[in-house]
Amino acid sequence: MKLARTGPAEREQDTPARPPLVRELLLVTTLFLVYKLGRQVATGHTEEAYRNADRLWGWERSLHLPDEGTVQSLLLHSGTLVEAANTYYAAVHFPATLLFLGWLYWHRPGHYVWARWALAALTGAALVLHVLMPLAPPRLVEATGLVDTGQVYGPSVYADTPTTDSVANQFAAMPSLHVGWALMVAVGLIAAGRSHWRWLWLLHPLITLFVVIGTANHYWLDTVVAVVLLSGVLTCIRAPGRRAQAVRSHPSVRDRAARPRPTAEPRPEAAKEAEPVRVPVVVPLIASGVPSRIMPLIPSPGVVPVIASGLASGTAR
């Protein structure tokens, strides 16, 4: 019997096919352009954005949410820390998301498709809110008493005058896509990862939360709405293979999958009939007590079936 092991070809059957690279690049680029254009469409509502900001600030005080100024005071103790937070806000948001999608594309194609559509759905829902509820960030509202750390300490990704900013819509604070995307990155890496250390990816959205509040780019409610939207998206768009991946990762399943399996051996062309086992019986055996009436049955020099010895012993009794 021969033993066969499961090889890479069998394991690859469980891996979804990777989408064509050129198509994915075009799709992601299109989604990014739609995102940028959508934010620009939401511009031109300056007065409404400030009214919504005053209203939202009052809601947070009514709900007894923590004061954004308390978080910012932690940053203002160190100019280096403020600059680091501004840099994190400006330089990590897009690159981290692109690296996340790239890693999933090459290593977890099934999770890549899921994450891509989840990010697209989250961004689409956020664009709808940008249009329906333009909102000035707390750094632009005097009533908050917060410092625009980007303008004071740098670096900043926004123009000095929000109404003339042609690069970004500064009145699209609700919801915080910085927090929404960062949380999706962490959730995606946790769902697709296998290491026990993968839960550390939650530090990314936590740091992002601290940064967007401390730099006065978002309110607490901006981040809450982003989390609620992402939760709804992930409820509708499920991660692939969670149950199958959990079953395959169970120790008993892994051991059974790696266990050698028997394979049938080719049968011989012609099986030979088994011959009886014969032992030489010497004539002097009579002297050991074999009765004389049995002696003629035993040939003198020659070979007899082994059963003869048993017959002789039984007769002797």
Side-chain angles (χ1 to χ4, degrees):
M1 179 180 294
K2 295 182 178 179
L3 299 178
R5 292 185 177 272
T6 56
E10 297 181 12
R11 291 192 296 267
E12 289 176 357
Q13 294 178 358
D14 296 332
T15 304
R18 184 179 294 110
L21 179 59
V22 175
R23 188 192 72 181
E24 291 304 310
L25 290 176
L26 292 175
L27 180 59
V28 172
T29 302
T30 301
L31 292 175
F32 174 75
L33 292 176
V34 170
Y35 162 73
K36 297 295 290 185
L37 292 175
R39 287 175 63 93
Q40 291 300 322
V41 169
T43 58
H45 305 280
T46 304
E47 293 183 2
E48 184 181 359
Y50 280 106
R51 285 197 303 269
N52 289 335
D54 293 334
R55 191 179 299 115
L56 185 68
W57 185 257
W59 290 347
E60 288 192 345
R61 306 291 75 79
S62 300
L63 294 172
H64 302 287
L65 293 179
D67 187 3
E68 286 85 347
T70 303
V71 179
Q72 188 175 76
S73 63
L74 299 176
L75 289 178
L76 296 180
H77 284 299
S78 170
T80 303
L81 187 59
V82 175
E83 293 177 4
N86 290 332
T87 302
Y88 196 93
Y89 179 85
V92 175
H93 179 48
F94 281 109
T97 307
L98 292 177
L99 289 175
F100 161 68
L101 290 174
W103 185 86
L104 287 182
Y105 177 84
W106 288 110
H107 299 281
R108 303 287 189 274
H111 285 82
Y112 162 78
V113 176
W114 160 69
R116 179 241 288 157
W117 286 123
L119 284 172
L122 172 63
T123 305
L127 289 177
V128 173
L129 278 180
H130 292 340
V131 175
L132 296 179
M133 186 180 177
L135 183 67
R139 58 185 172 81
L140 298 179
V141 180
E142 294 183 1
T144 64
L146 298 175
V147 178
D148 188 345
T149 59
Q151 296 296 332
V152 176
Y153 297 91
S156 176
V157 295
Y158 300 114
D160 297 339
T161 306
T163 55
T164 60
D165 193 346
S166 59
V167 178
N169 177 14
Q170 298 192 38
F171 300 112
M174 172 68 75
S176 172
L177 280 178
H178 272 73
V179 172
W181 284 16
L183 183 59
M184 182 60 213
V185 169
V187 170
L189 292 175
I190 290 172
R194 297 170 184 171
S195 171
H196 295 294
W197 297 97
R198 67 186 185 277
W199 295 99
L200 291 177
W201 288 112
L202 289 173
L203 291 175
H204 176 44
L206 291 176
I207 294 174
T208 303
L209 175 63
F210 177 76
V211 165
V212 299
I213 298 297
T215 57
N217 281 289
H218 287 284
Y219 304 90
W220 287 113
L221 286 179
D222 297 341
T223 65
V224 172
V225 172
V227 173
V228 171
L229 287 178
L230 180 60
S231 300
V233 168
L234 295 181
T235 302
C236 299
I237 307 176
R238 297 293 184 90
R242 283 185 178 179
R243 182 177 179 183
Q245 183 178 6
V247 171
R248 287 195 299 268
S249 62
H250 194 275
S252 61
V253 177
R254 289 199 307 266
D255 296 341
R256 186 164 59 251
R259 189 179 304 161
R261 298 182 301 174
T263 57
E265 294 183 350
R267 299 183 62 182
E269 297 180 358
K272 297 182 179 180
E273 185 178 357
E275 298 180 354
V277 180
R278 297 177 178 273
V279 295
V281 180
V282 186
V283 175
L285 184 62
I286 303 174
S288 64
V290 179
S292 59
R293 66 177 179 272
I294 303 300
M295 182 184 65
L297 300 177
I298 303 177
S300 158
V303 179
V304 295
V306 70
I307 195 171
S309 62
L311 179 60
S313 62
T315 309
R317 291 195 297 266

